[in-house]
Amino acid sequence: MVAAERGRRWRRPRAAPAPGQPRLIGYLYILPAFAVFAVFVIAPMIDGAWISLFQWDGVTPGRWVGLDNYRSALSDPAVRSAFMHSLVLVLFYAALPIAVGLGLTALLSHSRVRGITAVRTIIFLPQVLAAVVIGVSWKWLYDPQGPINQLLSAVGLGGLRRPWLGDFTTALPAVGVIGTWVTTGLCLVLFMAGVQRIPLSRYEAARVDGAGPLREFFAVTLPGLRNELAVALSLTVITALRSFDIIFVTTKGGPGTETTVPSLLIYQRAFVTGQVGSAAAIGAIMGVLILALSVGITRLVEERR
Amino acid sequence: MAAACGTPGASDAGSAGSGPTSTGFDTTKKVTLTMWDTEDSKGPSTAEDALIKQFEQKYPNVTVKRTVRSFDDYVATIKLAASSSNAPDVFQGNEGSLDQTLVKAHLIEPFDSLATAYGWDTRFGSSAALNPLRWTADGSTWGEGTLWGVAQKAEVLGAFYNKATLASLGLQPPKTFADFENSLAAAKAAGVPPIMVGNLDKYPLGHVFMVLQARFEDSQAISDWTYGRPGASFDTPGTRKAASILQQWGSKGYFEDGFNGVSQQNAGARFAKGEGLYFITGPWMNQTFASVLKDGVGFFPLPSIDGSAGAPTTGSLSLPFHVSTKSAHPDVAAAFVDFITNADAASLIIQNGDLPSAAPSSSQIDPNSSLASISAAWQEKSKAGTLTPYLDWATPTMGDTLFGALQQLSEGRITPAQFTAAVQKDWEQTHS
Amino acid sequence: MTSSRVEQTVTYVVLALFSLLAVAPLVGVLLAAMHPSGALLSGISLPDSFSLDTFRTAWSEGGFGRLMTSSVIVAVAVVAFTTVLSITAGYAFGTMRFPAVDLLFYVILTGIVVPFESLVVPLYYSFRDAGLTDSYWALILPQTGLSISFGTFWMRAFFRSVPPELSDAARVDGASSWRILWRVLVPIGRPAILTMVLLVFMWTWNEFLLALVMISDDTHRTAPLGLSAFQSRYGVDVPGVSAAAVFVAAPVVILYILLQRQFLRGMLAGSIKG
């Protein structure tokens, strides 16, 4: 075969490097980034796993206990309830906003709205605020003398006034509502953008088949939003599982332990009560859980290309 | 990273030094001292700032940088700060497990020679008065052995009361415990929050409970338990009675609305503005109230059952100041500690409405003020030895456990029996 | 598709409602900040006089000059390091083949899902052993490490989207990969790089847990941490705390308003970082 022809046949589509040969210089390019990543992310992960095998107060030398910290973490009612609370937050941070986002998107997918950019900017705003700012703001909103109680009194529901963040029954949902406020904008914007990408032909085909709005939603809109759904689920579920900043600033895990979540337990045990090994174990469990969830969500929900 | 290559923490501890032994230091070298404390209430904080200014004026070569944190923030961060390479030169500890950790890890200088040199062993009453600040050098036994810190102030817990409000209810300051409970009912009936407490911070209700427990349980038993003596128990009839009374107060609405969601700062500010009848806390809040209510605020320790004098209540020397073994200027640090705990400092503290542990050089306390009542209570009870210790000293996790359980008890979510059992369980994890 | 006027109206109403809900708390905080410092507020209320005094008091009482400076230093450093490292790594991952390229990329990708909570304990104790707690490095290095995950992912996606003809042409002219990267590709990658810069800046500026654990002194404290401490100490002063919250939120919000398209593009396009 002529060399030129061989060259032409060898030209592979876009993602290939130039002439097909491995570029060892690539290692040099990734080295600095990888070095920093290895030292400040991978090494601590390994370190954390090591520390989790000790009983340590952070100040005096530690004592080897093997997998005890993991065993006690899994049977410790405090750890269990912390993960339960996280699950509740997942409802508020993920399930509710996604449902609302999908619902609204179904409503809106038919219309062209003027000023959508401005609305998008506003609705998305909570996402760029520091969690501490959000926590501090909502702490005042929920204050017994704050705006929410003020609003309730103003509309004649004064009997519902309560110390939202200090009441054993309402504290966790109250924190959850903060999360809903933060992530609903994200979901809405995500789905609205995603819906624009669904080809109109599919909607028309459904119309022709005689589908009503409900079937249209399940047959066209929802499947078309699978990628966005994956992103939304990942982002919101992970935010719910972390949520340290907001809880630290609003309730510090209280009242009692009603709003204690694993990330708060880690902080308390590592830095306040001197149970560093246990904290590291919980941190490892959290990391694995989040990793598994991310992979799981992507695998299950994302559209196969 | 270092921790991965061996037992974590093996290289963190400081080295046990003998510390500075004489007073005085080189006044020609420029020195910056870092100081950490948790005196964030109005009066005490002003006093600390003023003392720093005075010290800097006396020794122009020294600059003092102060970091102040609220109590729960402080205990969350001080252990780690003390073990870091930038440990503060002078910092407050807390009697009990916190100090024990500091001693065991060799993070604070022993004070025995300094105590002799500066006269600390006689400054605060008797040498025995400093016992809560003593630990054996290995950190195993509390209350004896080496001296590790000195406390600037004294604390005795009791009820601040709004004189006008009490009068408007047609009542006199209660003489017996029954009178006290009647006044609570009367206030509640009149729509006045009987006891203001800001329990979002968790510890305030702890103080209310402690004075109740001191009323119904034997002080020696409370002491033994707090000091971790073998066989001591929290689950006693007296303690359970105190717990059930606290629970009743909660269910009868004797605390202000939503008290578990109100911060101590907020509750204190509202009491100072006239809301509520009683505020059960210690002298550090005095200035917060007295600066607004002036002579309209009074103080009394919780009355005894039969009205006799001398009933026990919670109190002790306040948080001790320590010198870090990592300090580059231990002699300057020691001189500073001496300066802020001496008789002149005591006068300044009084002027800012708080109770010093040393006898003041000049300032007289206004006999009509709440501070006078506080001081009288302190004098009487510390001399008679009828002060019970703070329960959260007992274990590193006791603060969390006790205060969290109290939040639940106050809302009727757990029974007194469950409460005492939970607290005892925590205790046994450390002391069995 | 046509839609009825009813549908249109409903849409507008619903969107307006959600916009209101999103913005109302923030407006409330802004209003609160305009009240005199130390006032005991009950609910949202219009202040008697709109003054900036509370902002002034909160700024000096909270030491926000120092706090904002620290935050700027850390954020700029993290952005700078992350940008350079992500561009080079993304370039290699996106255009070159070498043994284990995919594996190495996935390893770096794990950083996107690893939460700081899992790393903060070992990080703290390592930095303490090295005597580096209470320093900017304690904040810059770990955050750079984690930001590299997103940055590399983002830049790789960009480099993969560039038509190979561009670099081929340059290579024919004898340019080295380095020159191709910086002279040819980066200039056309400005929008993508800008998005990455904005997102990394925002995440770094807003970071709280790492600062809480690493920083105890006043000199290196970052703004979010300062806000939390301010709220602990002066929590009764709702106007003051609100003003402090405005300070911390302002830089990112301003950038967001000016460059929202870049922000949105980055946060929505398959980003898995929380």
Side-chain angles (χ1 to χ4, degrees):
Chain A
M1 262 199 261
V2 179
E5 282 175 341
R6 189 186 285 149
R8 255 204 300 280
R9 190 147 351 134
W10 272 8
R11 178 129 41 130
R12 295 192 29 225
R14 345 166 110 242
Q21 280 226 338
R23 308 275 305 276
L24 294 181
I25 197 172
Y27 286 123
L28 222 55
Y29 274 100
I30 69 170
L31 184 63
F34 210 87
V36 175
F37 183 78
V39 171
F40 296 105
V41 180
I42 299 183
M45 283 203 271
I46 300 174
D47 234 356
W50 178 250
I51 292 177
S52 70
L53 303 172
F54 287 83
Q55 195 182 70
W56 186 33
D57 66 358
V59 179
T60 54
R63 186 168 68 92
W64 172 269
V65 290
L67 292 176
D68 265 4
N69 284 325
Y70 289 95
R71 266 189 279 271
S72 51
L74 293 174
S75 60
D76 186 343
V79 176
R80 283 219 179 127
S81 69
F83 276 100
M84 282 294 120
H85 297 154
S86 266
L87 223 62
V88 172
L89 290 183
V90 166
L91 277 174
F92 282 94
Y93 277 60
L96 194 55
I98 287 180
V100 168
L102 283 175
L104 284 179
T105 305
L107 259 184
L108 306 179
S109 57
H110 296 265
S111 332
R112 164 125 308 156
V113 181
R114 296 258 293 277
I116 190 73
T117 324
V119 169
R120 224 175 40 179
T121 310
I122 295 177
I123 296 185
F124 202 74
L125 186 58
Q127 283 283 317
V128 305
L129 299 173
V132 186
V133 170
I134 296 173
V136 160
S137 309
W138 276 85
K139 187 164 182 174
W140 173 61
L141 291 184
Y142 278 131
D143 190 273
Q145 254 93 13
I148 289 183
N149 279 342
Q150 178 197 38
L151 186 65
L152 286 174
S153 293
V155 297
L157 290 171
L160 287 178
R161 287 178 74 114
R162 58 196 58 238
W164 301 96
L165 293 173
D167 183 307
F168 275 83
T169 15
T170 61
L172 189 59
V175 170
V177 165
I178 302 178
T180 310
W181 177 78
V182 171
T183 57
T184 302
L186 170 73
C187 295
L188 196 56
V189 173
L190 201 59
F191 296 145
M192 273 171 23
V195 145
Q196 307 286 333
R197 277 195 274 276
I198 301 178
L200 283 180
S201 49
R202 289 202 212 159
Y203 281 106
E204 276 155 20
R207 272 284 156 85
V208 162
D209 279 350
L214 208 63
R215 267 214 59 203
E216 197 179 82
F217 176 74
F218 282 105
V220 181
T221 314
L222 200 55
L225 285 177
R226 280 183 71 164
N227 289 340
E228 283 76 13
L229 201 56
V231 173
L233 262 177
S234 306
L235 280 175
T236 54
V237 167
I238 292 177
T239 310
L241 291 172
R242 300 180 55 189
S243 59
F244 177 86
D245 303 9
I246 290 189
I247 293 184
F248 186 85
V249 164
T250 51
T251 60
K252 283 238 173 67
T257 51
E258 287 309 304
T259 55
T260 301
V261 289
S263 47
L264 203 76
L265 264 188
I266 292 174
Y267 176 77
Q268 283 171 352
R269 293 194 176 187
F271 302 111
V272 182
T273 55
Q275 299 164 288
V276 186
S278 174
I282 300 177
I285 296 175
M286 244 188 102
V288 166
L289 193 63
I290 290 182
L291 188 63
L293 275 171
S294 305
V295 170
I297 289 174
T298 316
R299 280 277 161 79
L300 284 176
V301 182
E302 208 174 60
E303 201 163 10
R304 300 265 156 173
R305 287 203 184 277
Chain B
M1 299 283 144
C5 304
T7 313
S11 57
D12 288 332
S15 51
S18 55
T21 51
S22 60
T23 68
F25 56 90
D26 185 351
T27 50
T28 55
K29 284 194 339 195
K30 275 184 84 73
V31 165
T32 305
L33 274 189
T34 44
M35 165 198 182
W36 273 44
D37 65 84
T38 180
E39 305 294 343
D40 62 332
S41 302
K42 183 182 178 133
S45 196
T46 317
E48 300 296 347
D49 287 335
L51 285 170
I52 288 176
K53 265 230 179 66
Q54 285 182 355
F55 189 77
E56 290 177 335
Q57 270 164 357
K58 182 168 179 189
Y59 301 106
N61 64 312
V62 179
T63 320
V64 179
K65 279 177 48 166
R66 178 183 180 216
T67 300
V68 56
R69 295 243 154 88
S70 66
F71 184 68
D72 42 329
D73 271 353
Y74 190 82
V75 294
T77 49
I78 187 57
K79 262 188 300 199
L80 294 177
S83 59
S84 79
S85 51
N86 308 322
D89 299 290
V90 173
F91 59 92
Q92 279 182 311
N94 194 7
E95 289 91 338
S97 53
L98 179 57
D99 275 358
Q100 183 182 34
T101 312
L102 296 172
V103 169
K104 275 194 166 147
H106 307 303
L107 293 173
I108 51 180
E109 295 282 4
F111 272 5
D112 283 337
S113 1
L114 284 174
T116 325
Y118 277 111
W120 292 342
D121 39 10
T122 47
R123 182 185 292 176
F124 304 100
S126 63
S127 180
L130 290 172
N131 281 348
L133 305 178
R134 291 185 200 282
W135 284 88
T136 52
D138 60 354
S140 62
T141 315
W142 189 4
E144 52 187 68
T146 319
L147 180 69
W148 296 95
V150 285
Q152 191 187 36
K153 297 185 289 147
E155 297 173 359
V156 58
L157 298 186
F160 287 89
Y161 68 99
N162 188 316
K163 291 184 183 170
T165 310
L166 190 64
S168 76
L169 293 171
L171 297 169
Q172 296 281 337
K175 295 272 186 313
T176 68
F177 189 77
D179 287 345
F180 181 72
E181 287 209 284
N182 289 340
S183 67
L184 296 179
K188 181 70 186 170
V192 171
I195 301 176
M196 293 291 290
V197 63
N199 209 36
L200 184 66
D201 296 24
K202 291 191 171 173
Y203 69 83
L205 209 57
H207 292 170
V208 176
F209 174 74
M210 287 181 216
V211 302
L212 269 179
Q213 190 200 27
R215 188 55 59 251
F216 292 98
E217 182 54 65
D218 171 56
S219 331
Q220 189 60 46
I222 299 177
S223 251
D224 284 346
W225 183 86
T226 310
Y227 280 70
R229 304 283 178 251
S233 175
F234 192 73
D235 195 1
T236 62
T239 306
R240 286 223 212 143
K241 173 132 199 219
S244 90
I245 290 184
L246 188 109
Q247 182 176 54
Q248 283 165 28
W249 286 2
S251 62
K252 289 187 190 167
Y254 284 172
F255 304 119
E256 85 273 16
D257 268 346
F259 62 97
N260 269 318
V262 176
S263 73
Q264 183 76 330
Q265 261 189 11
N266 185 287
R270 282 155 62 180
F271 183 79
K273 287 218 164 81
E275 189 178 333
L277 175 61
Y278 296 120
F279 203 111
I280 300 181
T281 182
W284 60 86
M285 294 290 282
N286 183 55
Q287 185 71 341
T288 307
F289 305 146
S291 60
V292 180
L293 293 168
K294 309 271 190 296
D295 281 351
V297 61
F299 175 92
F300 55 79
L302 217 59
S304 60
I305 311 279
D306 59 2
S308 62
T313 194
T314 314
S316 91
L317 291 177
S318 72
L319 307 169
F321 278 95
H322 303 294
V323 169
S324 169
T325 48
K326 304 195 183 211
S327 172
H329 316 283
D331 44 356
V332 186
F336 181 70
V337 169
D338 174 65
F339 187 84
I340 63 175
T341 56
N342 65 18
D344 289 333
S347 301
L348 194 71
I349 289 169
I350 289 179
Q351 282 164 24
N352 281 286
D354 202 351
L355 185 68
S357 52
S361 57
S362 56
S363 235
Q364 296 288 31
I365 301 180
D366 171 8
N368 292 326
S369 66
S370 45
L371 192 57
S373 315
I374 296 173
S375 179
W378 165 259
Q379 299 292 344
E380 177 226 313
K381 295 184 196 296
S382 56
K383 281 211 179 67
T386 49
L387 290 174
T388 56
Y390 286 96
L391 299 175
D392 55 309
W393 295 352
T395 78
T397 45
M398 186 51 72
D400 265 357
T401 307
L402 176 69
F403 302 147
L406 276 172
Q407 277 184 323
Q408 305 211 14
L409 179 71
S410 63
E411 304 232 356
R413 299 176 71 94
I414 55 176
T415 65
Q418 286 168 325
F419 166 72
T420 53
V423 172
Q424 181 64 13
K425 183 157 170 228
D426 181 313
W427 187 90
E428 278 168 6
Q429 275 168 353
T430 309
H431 295 294
S432 303
Chain C
M1 271 183 290
T2 52
S3 55
S4 66
R5 280 190 81 76
V6 174
E7 273 182 346
Q8 282 264 16
T9 320
V10 168
T11 305
Y12 276 113
V13 166
V14 167
L15 286 178
L17 180 66
F18 272 82
S19 303
L20 193 67
L21 285 174
V23 136
L26 309 173
V27 168
V29 169
L30 203 55
L31 278 180
M34 309 233 209
H35 284 259
S37 189
L40 278 185
L41 301 182
S42 63
I44 297 187
S45 53
L46 285 179
D48 300 319
S49 60
F50 286 85
S51 86
L52 295 178
D53 276 342
T54 309
F55 287 98
R56 263 187 279 271
T57 330
W59 183 274
S60 57
E61 257 180 3
F64 273 93
R66 182 76 237 169
L67 292 173
M68 303 292 262
T69 310
S70 293
S71 274
V72 167
I73 292 176
V74 172
V76 166
V78 173
V79 165
F81 291 142
T82 304
T83 306
V84 170
L85 295 176
S86 299
I87 288 178
T88 49
Y91 178 53
F93 281 123
T95 63
M96 302 179 192
R97 275 175 58 223
F98 42 92
V101 56
D102 281 340
L103 176 66
L104 291 172
F105 179 62
Y106 284 129
V107 168
I108 288 196
L109 216 56
T110 59
I112 291 188
V113 288
V114 166
F116 254 131
E117 287 84 344
S118 301
L119 301 177
V120 96
V121 174
L123 273 174
Y124 171 78
Y125 286 103
S126 299
F127 272 87
R128 192 184 64 169
D129 285 345
L132 283 175
T133 49
D134 276 324
S135 76
Y136 289 130
W137 290 113
L139 300 176
I140 294 173
L141 294 171
Q143 291 193 80
T144 304
L146 274 187
S147 303
I148 281 174
S149 297
F150 171 75
T152 306
F153 162 81
W154 188 250
M155 293 315 299
R156 171 181 180 266
F158 162 72
F159 286 114
R160 285 175 71 143
S161 72
V162 173
E165 291 80 58
L166 277 167
S167 20
D168 286 348
R171 196 168 299 114
V172 162
D173 281 346
S176 67
S177 58
W178 186 258
R179 284 204 66 185
I180 296 177
L181 171 61
W182 295 103
R183 300 276 173 198
V184 177
L185 296 176
V186 165
I188 62 172
R190 272 200 266 264
I193 295 177
L194 179 60
T195 301
M196 175 180 70
V197 162
L198 288 174
L199 290 178
V200 172
F201 179 85
M202 172 177 77
W203 289 323
T204 309
W205 183 273
N206 291 346
E207 178 55 44
F208 175 70
L209 175 59
L210 188 66
L212 177 68
V213 164
M214 293 289 190
I215 306 293
S216 327
D217 68 12
D218 294 338
T219 355
H220 299 94
R221 198 182 293 162
T222 55
L225 189 58
L227 175 61
S228 168
F230 189 88
Q231 137 107 332
S232 271
R233 260 203 97 180
Y234 302 105
V236 192
D237 181 9
V238 174
V241 173
S242 306
V246 169
F247 295 142
V248 177
V252 180
V253 170
I254 293 174
L255 277 176
Y256 168 70
I257 294 181
L258 293 175
L259 297 163
Q260 359 144 339
R261 213 159 345 136
Q262 272 73 13
F263 265 102
L264 275 135
R265 197 176 298 150
M267 294 192 76
L268 301 180
S271 154
I272 336 176
K273 182 161 174 142

